[in-house]
Amino acid sequence: MVEKKDNKLWGGAFSKQPRADVIDYCAGFDAKSFAALDSFLLPYDLQVNEAHAEMLCGQGILTQRELSELKAALNEARKKGVSLEGFEDVHSAVEHFLTQRTPAGAKIHSGRSRNDQVATDTRLYLKDHAQRWVKDLAALIGQLERTAATHAKTAMPGYSHHRTAVPYTYGKWLQAYAEAFKRDVQAFQQWIELYDVCPLGACAGFGTHFPIAPAITAKKLGFAKPFSNTLDAVQQRGEAEAAYVFCIVRAMNHASQLAETFMVLSMPGMELFKLPEEFCTGSSVMPHKKNPDFLEATKAKASLAQASLLQLTDATKNAFTGYNRDSQWTKSALFRAQVECEPMPKLMADFICGVVPNNEKLAALCEPLDATARAEKLAMEKGIPFRLAKQEIEKQLKEADTKRKGTKI
Amino acid sequence: MVEKKDNKLWGGAFSKQPRADVIDYCAGFDAKSFAALDSFLLPYDLQVNEAHAEMLCGQGILTQRELSELKAALNEARKKGVSLEGFEDVHSAVEHFLTQRTPAGAKIHSGRSRNDQVATDTRLYLKDHAQRWVKDLAALIGQLERTAATHAKTAMPGYSHHRTAVPYTYGKWLQAYAEAFKRDVQAFQQWIELYDVCPLGACAGFGTHFPIAPAITAKKLGFAKPFSNTLDAVQQRGEAEAAYVFCIVRAMNHASQLAETFMVLSMPGMELFKLPEEFCTGSSVMPHKKNPDFLEATKAKASLAQASLLQLTDATKNAFTGYNRDSQWTKSALFRAQVECEPMPKLMADFICGVVPNNEKLAALCEPLDATARAEKLAMEKGIPFRLAKQEIEKQLKEADTKRKGTKI
Amino acid sequence: MVEKKDNKLWGGAFSKQPRADVIDYCAGFDAKSFAALDSFLLPYDLQVNEAHAEMLCGQGILTQRELSELKAALNEARKKGVSLEGFEDVHSAVEHFLTQRTPAGAKIHSGRSRNDQVATDTRLYLKDHAQRWVKDLAALIGQLERTAATHAKTAMPGYSHHRTAVPYTYGKWLQAYAEAFKRDVQAFQQWIELYDVCPLGACAGFGTHFPIAPAITAKKLGFAKPFSNTLDAVQQRGEAEAAYVFCIVRAMNHASQLAETFMVLSMPGMELFKLPEEFCTGSSVMPHKKNPDFLEATKAKASLAQASLLQLTDATKNAFTGYNRDSQWTKSALFRAQVECEPMPKLMADFICGVVPNNEKLAALCEPLDATARAEKLAMEKGIPFRLAKQEIEKQLKEADTKRKGTKI
Amino acid sequence: MVEKKDNKLWGGAFSKQPRADVIDYCAGFDAKSFAALDSFLLPYDLQVNEAHAEMLCGQGILTQRELSELKAALNEARKKGVSLEGFEDVHSAVEHFLTQRTPAGAKIHSGRSRNDQVATDTRLYLKDHAQRWVKDLAALIGQLERTAATHAKTAMPGYSHHRTAVPYTYGKWLQAYAEAFKRDVQAFQQWIELYDVCPLGACAGFGTHFPIAPAITAKKLGFAKPFSNTLDAVQQRGEAEAAYVFCIVRAMNHASQLAETFMVLSMPGMELFKLPEEFCTGSSVMPHKKNPDFLEATKAKASLAQASLLQLTDATKNAFTGYNRDSQWTKSALFRAQVECEPMPKLMADFICGVVPNNEKLAALCEPLDATARAEKLAMEKGIPFRLAKQEIEKQLKEADTKRKGTKI
């Protein structure tokens, strides 16, 4: 989304203009609509229809000719898109699209239900996007490690309780987040491992009398295996989604920590880091402002992902057996979290790239932080317990403090 | 949203077709997009612009002619709408719209910021919709009380722990929910009382050098009073929203209890109530199904409202002072909860109207539930403690149970 | 809780020792147990027993002598306490205590159930503690306003987006939170108004055949009125609790904002405020550390209150009609939030008292923040739109920035 | 906890008394206190102390004699326990215990901080308990599969939308939950895989000057490997806990579904299943009541686990870098969820064992559910699309319904 040129309310003091993708990430859905939820499932629904039709043909339920006609219609759908307007969901819309083009469209719903269809569409969506997260987070980790290597010796205070603690380095600090994101990558991979199972053929949860072959559709769709219990395959809708969004929450929580820390350490009066201007915005009132919107948006999105997670864990909690329509609202929770958060890894990598540490100020803050090291050395040199050594150093600090205050007055 | 006639996947066994507003309520945003969030604020932003312009003119910052031109442009905006496309938010879009029509458009941003504007727009939106909830819930209460009066003597078991407990009536049972919704009405009214305060003029949180008159804009916009501290007026964004959504959560929780109870008591094998068919849907696979989608949707929306509440309480938690862009994401949480839940009271009233109790089955279930009354009577007649009387009745029940089992074998 | 003197792991560099109540607030329940939940209800259960016994006597169900014996036994219970060990809940324990002392103890359960008892006990607890919050928050507001008056002219930058925005004052900044806490006071008062209703006499939700007089017990217990529907009186357990904890969340959210802001603005490298040492702790390793544990604990408790709120809104969501034992878990959510958060207002007031602003550093940060004022003045002087004036100032800032950078190289 | 015999308020009509462990599970912490949180860490803290002392000795920081004295003191601590009273946490209490017994106690804190200690204690606790969940859930799955095998042919309706859908079997239904719990087992195993990393030696997050050997302590404590970045090892407190509690949420959600379904299907008026009496309780007022408290408690605990999860995901969200004391409150969220939920698998297995299906009623409900099968057969026989066949069957159902209604009048 680009702001109309002649009505830009801020930015006169910027040397670099904010990037379009950053503005888009920060804009949320204030000025643009959020697409119909089933539109996210459309490509996967077409894929599922094709695999199902091929299987039905292999099982003698569709003729070869009917299959050809259906595949042609599906290809047309892929190219032209399928309008959801006036339909209950993507499954009805696609079936209608097919039926308009070939009488075989009316036979494709044999041996399946919308329950196993939506479960399969969603599973494919999640698998696909989990793989993207793995890739995007890996790229972010790569960037963090490259910048960490460059700054292996750039002094930076280590903090605890929001207080400078001991001398550390900017490189090690960045590496800490690289390690955290590595667990997030592993978590997405574990998700794929756990949910690489195809629900197609479970129908409404109780199978079918049609002689279908779930193992074949599972294979065609690239799943490791088909479901093993029909009811389990459809009645836990929301479970895989919750587990997936939990992975997003993990990654967003780590990102939000980077956001919070850079936000604070770049504050006027502190200025340990200079943030890239193309990730900031200005004010409609205050000419001098450079606002770290990207960081704020990242924090807000971590909060949004958390709320989505809650809605999803709630979806299977205390649920009566079988498919319940309540579970339909898992879609908005899932897609909102995914769509709002997916640009994070790429943007964060570029952001990190553009951050400029203020070496002098960072080093100056590290200077007085050698108290622990002094105590450790004292303990080792004198062979006394660390506790005693620390007490000795504390006494010295207190005396120095008293002296300083004395001088002031 | 109406299903295309020639592709209806279910419904052949229904004598009444589902109502369009019920289908819409149950459809969520699967097949339609969710409007740009700022579009919900547009009418209120125009109102705020008008009040601000009038005040600026009264203070000598705008001329009478400039005011006339602005009011004409605002009227045009009201009629034609204002496109948000290509803008950061509704405020920029409206300002651009005005500036295109009159040079005075460029002066209207004097003595205000987008921070106080969005706070004021949102406050007006919330006040307006709180009043609608009060009205709609009052109508629902009215319906509950009318049906309760009709069924004052219709026997229905009182339940505890999901077990029939003592004889009760359908009328008293409905009245219990009427009482609960009355508290929800009061809660919305308390919200209005607490937040009937106008933030306009607080600017970015620190006031302005323009000689504006916040008391005047507050009055023009129908608020009880203007803000008393500029910073407080804008930095708590999310607080009023959270308090408002908490009111929605209250009402939805009560509605979800009606939903859950009717759902269970109308189950095949139980059938104490027959649900109105125009609130049900069918299955794409099972011809005999009549699904209480309205009740399921209501339960799901209670869960959605709860997740929105969490996102909103989270928005002000641990927030650094001043406006933070994180707070922008309060919009989606607010509007999603409002839009999904607002039809509930009207639909629930109509639903209640259409429910048909099965008097015979309800009465039959009440029959064996006189044990407490027997114990109470025994206690009063013999002047013994209730505990002893109850033990005596329990002994009788156990003996009867043993006898029955004995007969069986 | 006082740390054993000879094993204090930190604090050698402190001139003031942390206060015992601060340490206790920050310690949570790491080293002490959390009391049996029903112990919080004990005093209220005794009160309810007394009112119920008096009413039973007035209704002729207990004799005057039985009443006297029961009152004597209740007085004994008040003095000695009642052990909960080996009982299901406080109600059984108290009844057992009474029955051991007088045969009338066995008759006191006439015309009541544990369902209305626990609802009444809890309601009394909540009303009592809501009044304490009102009082404690009022004291905090008083302190904020006194300190605000002292610092009416102490310069402090106004912040937005974590960036210094315009010159503001420490006094106005404190006042912003005073205003926020005033709404919290009002919210607790509204809670009392909404829930000043006595559930006693509703029994298990369906009344009783005993000729009890709920209006009399309501009055004896100080409630504004008795319940109007028996079922409503007991089946919404969790609702009043959720509404109450929402009030706590409101206050804790405001407190957590003070905490976060003081935390950041007192960081080494920033040091705009010096925090009172008696609210800080030290490190077992780093001799120079002074950690703002009080502020961190306050932030954590805001998060805990939020989680409790979720558990409580969840307790009535989708609940089947009537009392359900699920609702028993509302106690832990309620009491944890209450016990952890109740010391906040008093401690925060003392904390604010002890904070020392660094006037020089605060003033220095305000200096460059006159850009908005310059633009506003330019607009007023030249009679040009604010937007144009702002663009002119932005141009000047950019030129100055370029020049400064030029000089550096 | 056993109810005092002479004050049992209910149960006279029961042939089997509730089991003590069931009563305990259902009692929560109403009548007993929740132990000091650090007491859960004590055994692990002793283990960590021993490993650390051995490593210090191996590195020449402690003498062999000092090590022997420390090990003797640790053994004494294991036998006698260590009182937490008067200490900040378990680490201070243990160190004090050691120091009282040997001067070497004062040297054991060399090369470590309470930050890496608590992280390591917690990691050991979690690993240990994750393994227990794996074992207990496996036993539950075993029971579900055995009962499923017994009831492979016991008719039971398959449900969707709370409506009977198609004929299914009790065996397959139980198997559906066995499959769900299998994923929970896998999830706990994946947790172990992801978090089998030892934080000891990371100290306050920035390492130490003492020549310690983290790889050696990691091995001694049974971890797969030591941390790779000191800061990451301690600053993500709450992450492993959240991931662990998410595993509990998964299992509790599945259990809560069993609970909800058995609750509803055993209701008076339905009675498809008879629940084991030793898992039920009675009423203090209604002599005939048999309440499924175990099922209600399970549902409530699923809700409690969800609230704990929220508190834990919140603990790392938007956190400033480094250890923050906020993270201390992760303990209560973790231990409450663990302690309340851990008995579930064993109790649920025994519960399943005791459930008696009412074969006749179940079969009777299945009878009218052959509509889908009829449509599928019609489609296959006539070679017409399933949609058409379904419409034909729907027509027949509607006619039958009209006819039946006609007869009634």
Side-chain angles (χ1 to χ4, degrees), chain B residues 356-376:
Chain B
V356 182
N358 185 324
N359 297 343
E360 286 158 49
K361 289 199 171 182
L362 284 163
L365 268 178
C366 287
E367 233 172 278
L369 303 179
D370 60 348
T372 309
R374 277 166 61 195
E376 285 179 347

Side-chain angles (χ1 to χ4, degrees), chain B residues 137 180-189 250-251 254, chain C residues 239:
Chain B
L137 286 172
F181 285 121
K182 283 177 193 172
R183 284 192 298 281
D184 302 336
V185 165
Q186 249 185 289
F188 273 111
Q189 287 167 333
R250 302 173 70 109
H254 292 141
Chain C
E239 180 197 311

Side-chain angles (χ1 to χ4, degrees), chain D residues 80-110:
Chain D
K80 291 192 185 163
V82 174
S83 164
L84 299 176
E85 218 199 305
F87 291 95
E88 227 177 337
D89 51 35
V90 69
H91 322 298
S92 326
V94 167
E95 194 173 333
H96 181 256
F97 185 98
L98 299 178
T99 311
Q100 295 284 83
R101 272 145 193 88
T102 159
K107 289 177 78 174
I108 201 173
H109 205 56
S110 304

Side-chain angles (χ1 to χ4, degrees), chain B residues 48 119-121 123-124 127 195-200 215 217-226:
Chain B
V48 167
T120 312
D121 292 4
R123 197 60 65 91
L124 284 170
K127 236 183 101 176
Y195 288 107
D196 201 1
V197 176
C198 184
L200 200 65
T217 34
K219 204 178 164 192
K220 280 181 195 292
L221 292 168
F223 284 105
K225 58 182 174 187

Side-chain angles (χ1 to χ4, degrees), chain A residues 229-278:
Chain A
N229 174 286
T230 52
L231 181 55
D232 178 54
V234 306
Q235 82 172 350
Q236 298 299 346
R237 208 173 143 198
E239 179 198 312
E241 288 89 335
Y244 177 88
V245 170
F246 185 63
C247 292
I248 295 182
V249 165
R250 303 172 70 108
M252 291 309 294
N253 274 8
H254 292 141
S256 74
Q257 295 172 25
L258 280 169
E260 174 67 10
T261 306
F262 277 121
M263 183 95 78
V264 167
L265 299 185
S266 62
M267 284 177 72
M270 180 85 84
E271 286 142 333
L272 304 184
F273 294 95
K274 192 169 181 315
L275 308 184
E277 279 194 354
E278 63 271 35

Side-chain angles (χ1 to χ4, degrees), chain D residues 371-393:
Chain D
T372 309
R374 275 166 62 196
E376 287 180 346
K377 275 179 206 154
L378 191 67
M380 281 189 283
E381 280 166 22
K382 300 213 175 172
I384 57 171
F386 173 74
R387 288 278 177 246
L388 286 184
K390 176 168 169 273
Q391 279 165 21
E392 174 55 30
I393 301 295

Side-chain angles (χ1 to χ4, degrees), chain C residues 228-239:
Chain C
S228 62
N229 174 285
T230 52
L231 181 55
D232 179 53
V234 308
Q235 79 172 350
Q236 298 299 347
R237 205 171 144 201
E239 180 197 311

Side-chain angles (χ1 to χ4, degrees), chain B residues 209-382:
Chain B
H209 288 85
F210 284 102
I212 58 166
I216 289 171
T217 34
K219 204 178 164 192
K220 280 181 195 292
L221 292 168
F223 284 105
K225 58 182 174 187
F227 63 90
S228 61
N229 174 286
T230 52
L231 181 56
D232 179 53
V234 307
Q235 80 172 350
Q236 298 299 348
R237 205 170 145 200
E239 180 197 312
E241 288 88 335
Y244 177 88
V245 170
F246 186 63
C247 292
I248 296 183
V249 164
R250 302 173 70 109
M252 292 308 294
N253 274 8
H254 292 141
S256 74
Q257 295 171 26
L258 281 169
E260 174 67 9
T261 306
F262 276 122
M263 183 95 78
V264 167
L265 298 185
S266 62
M267 282 177 73
M270 178 85 83
E271 285 142 335
L272 303 183
F273 294 96
K274 195 171 178 314
L275 309 184
E277 278 193 355
E278 64 272 35
F279 280 82
C280 298
T281 63
S283 154
S284 64
V285 171
M286 292 163 283
H288 63 282
K289 286 297 289 298
K290 284 174 193 168
N291 299 326
D293 290 45
F294 166 68
L295 302 178
E296 297 174 291
T298 298
K299 288 173 64 189
K301 287 172 188 220
S303 186
L304 179 152
Q306 182 180 267
S308 286
L309 173 61
L310 165 65
Q311 202 180 328
L312 288 167
T313 58
D314 213 36
T316 55
K317 184 169 60 69
N318 299 351
F320 184 76
T321 188
Y323 171 85
N324 294 296
R325 182 140 187 189
D326 319 29
S327 65
Q328 179 190 342
W329 276 263
T330 56
K331 287 184 198 171
S332 57
L334 167 64
F335 294 133
R336 273 180 85 217
Q338 171 63 30
V339 168
E340 293 262 17
C341 300
E342 68 190 356
M344 182 279 287
K346 185 172 171 22
L347 294 182
M348 185 59 85
D350 293 353
F351 176 87
I352 294 290
C353 226
V355 168
V356 182
N358 185 324
N359 297 343
E360 286 158 49
K361 289 199 171 182
L362 284 163
L365 268 178
C366 287
E367 233 172 278
L369 303 179
D370 60 348
T372 309
R374 277 166 61 195
E376 285 179 347
K377 277 178 207 155
L378 191 66
M380 282 188 284
E381 282 166 19
K382 302 214 175 170

